[in-house]
Amino acid sequence: MYIGIDVGGTNIASGLVDEKCRVLGLVKRATQADKGIETVLENMTQSVYQLLDETSTALHDVRYIGVGAPGTIDHRAGQIVYASNIPFDHTPAAQLLEEEFHVPILLENDARAAALGEVLAGSARNAAYAMLITLGTGIGGGIVIDGKIYSGFNAAGGEIGHTVIEHGGRACPCGRKGCWEAYASARALKQLTHEAMLESPDSLLWQTCGGKLDGLSGRTAFDTALLGDPAAQQVVDAYISYLACGITNMVNIFQPEVLCIGGGVANQGASLLDPVVKLVERERYTREGRQTQIRLSSLGQDAGIIGAAMLFTQSCK
């Protein structure tokens, strides 16, 4: 048995995974990043204990614990060096967790772990060249080349959310302006919706949110657009345009066999995927021959859990 921990900006999910990449048990806890790194680490620890308890699994039956966390990961030092949305700062996560559980701990960027999960058991299964884009609090990216996670010479490769699509544009938590993440993450979608509500006081967006700005979510614009609301449709169109712009860049640079879209926003399904595919087909550099297949993640959050749990397979490549 293996345990995979997927650390997100909002929630920590831990899953028990078998050798066939099946998730046999799952627990979630709030990340509580605003309370500091000690609280985040405690929530990670407690999620594992809760998982073991709920699945009646003994710790000595767990061969590895894999952690997928946002930001830059130093594999050799076992550190989470930096993350823009969680206060990791050269955090020796592997050492701390090994001291707690006495089980080997493997670390990886969360999006890269999720990409591995999709290649092993999801929408990109058996693809030698694959890519996963996760649309959550930020935009994560995982790249698999010849079946191996690509992380660059400094373990910071794949931070595609911090490629700029609007020079001098919106401020990003990373410190740059105009990052793709600032336009096409779930947080960016909520910001676009917020702005539209202020500009359109008669929009049905207000009704969908219960008349309060703090009632909006990443689903608000999409749900309201289905009601024929012009302001909501403008938000959806703008968001899809930003998303497709970045995806086209990724296709042009990496030419993966399969590019998967995951994260919370991907739950919009065909209403998100279909227009994105049309824009990418119109704008990508290669127009003939074999083309990248753009698909929704089939594993959802399980991708990150499975990929983290199966990180030990990468040491054999």
Side-chain angles (χ1 to χ4, degrees):
M1 295 294 181
Y2 313 95
I3 288 178
I5 305 175
D6 183 33
V7 183
T10 303
N11 293 305
I12 294 168
S14 295
L16 184 68
V17 180
D18 68 10
E19 67 280 357
K20 295 183 179 180
C21 296
R22 296 177 298 195
V23 178
L24 305 180
L26 174 68
V27 299
K28 291 184 181 181
R29 296 177 71 93
T31 305
Q32 297 181 301
D34 58 321
K35 294 186 177 181
I37 192 57
E38 291 81 9
T39 298
V40 174
L41 288 169
E42 177 64 16
N43 287 333
M44 291 168 64
T45 299
Q46 291 305 315
S47 72
V48 171
Y49 283 126
Q50 182 182 347
L51 176 67
L52 293 172
D53 181 62
E54 292 187 4
T55 59
S56 299
T57 302
L59 186 56
H60 62 74
D61 289 329
V62 176
R63 294 182 58 192
Y64 292 91
I65 296 177
V67 179
T72 302
I73 308 296
D74 185 334
H75 302 277
R76 293 182 179 179
Q79 291 185 349
I80 304 174
V81 179
Y82 167 78
S84 59
N85 298 309
I86 299 178
F88 290 123
D89 183 7
H90 292 86
T91 305
Q95 176 185 339
L96 294 171
L97 292 173
E98 284 179 358
E99 290 174 354
E100 177 71 29
F101 297 115
H102 304 288
V103 171
I105 306 295
L106 301 174
L107 299 180
E108 183 54 272
N109 171 271
D110 56 345
R112 294 200 291 258
L116 177 62
E118 288 292 339
V119 167
L120 292 175
S123 293
R125 189 165 188 171
N126 298 324
Y129 300 88
M131 194 168 187
L132 173 68
I133 293 168
T134 58
L135 306 175
T137 304
I139 290 183
I143 304 162
V144 174
I145 299 175
D146 281 337
K148 185 174 177 61
I149 293 173
Y150 173 78
S151 56
F153 82 99
N154 60 355
E159 288 292 341
I160 61 175
H162 302 293
T163 55
V164 170
I165 64 169
E166 183 69 39
H167 181 66
R170 294 176 181 266
C172 178
C174 77
R176 299 188 78 189
K177 291 185 177 180
C179 285
W180 189 23
E181 180 171 301
Y183 290 86
S185 64
R187 178 167 50 196
L189 175 56
K190 291 172 67 176
Q191 180 63 30
L192 290 170
T193 306
H194 182 279
E195 293 169 357
M197 291 174 68
L198 293 178
E199 294 172 0
S200 305
D202 296 328
S203 169
L204 292 176
L205 287 165
W206 288 96
Q207 179 179 316
T208 305
C209 292
K212 298 179 180 180
L213 283 170
D214 59 8
L216 70 87
S217 70
R219 295 182 53 184
T220 300
F222 280 88
D223 289 347
T224 310
L226 293 175
L227 302 176
D229 184 76
Q233 189 61 56
Q234 288 180 2
V235 171
V236 170
D237 290 345
Y239 177 79
I240 286 174
S241 177
Y242 293 135
L243 179 58
C245 175
I247 288 177
T248 304
N249 290 342
M250 296 303 108
V251 170
N252 287 348
I253 295 169
F254 294 102
Q255 297 294 338
E257 295 173 58
V258 180
L259 184 148
C260 299
I261 304 174
V265 182
N267 291 331
Q268 296 302 323
S271 62
L272 175 80
L273 181 66
D274 292 350
V276 165
V277 169
K278 288 181 180 179
L279 286 174
V280 174
E281 288 178 345
R282 188 180 71 193
E283 296 184 0
R284 64 189 174 192
Y285 181 74
T286 55
R287 306 293 176 86
E288 298 180 358
R290 294 185 298 171
Q291 301 292 343
T292 297
Q293 298 297 304
I294 302 174
R295 303 170 181 169
L296 296 174
S297 163
S298 63
L299 298 178
Q301 189 170 34
D302 284 355
I305 292 170
I306 293 171
M310 293 290 133
L311 285 173
F312 73 92
T313 65
Q314 292 292 287
S315 63
C316 300
K317 292 185 179 295

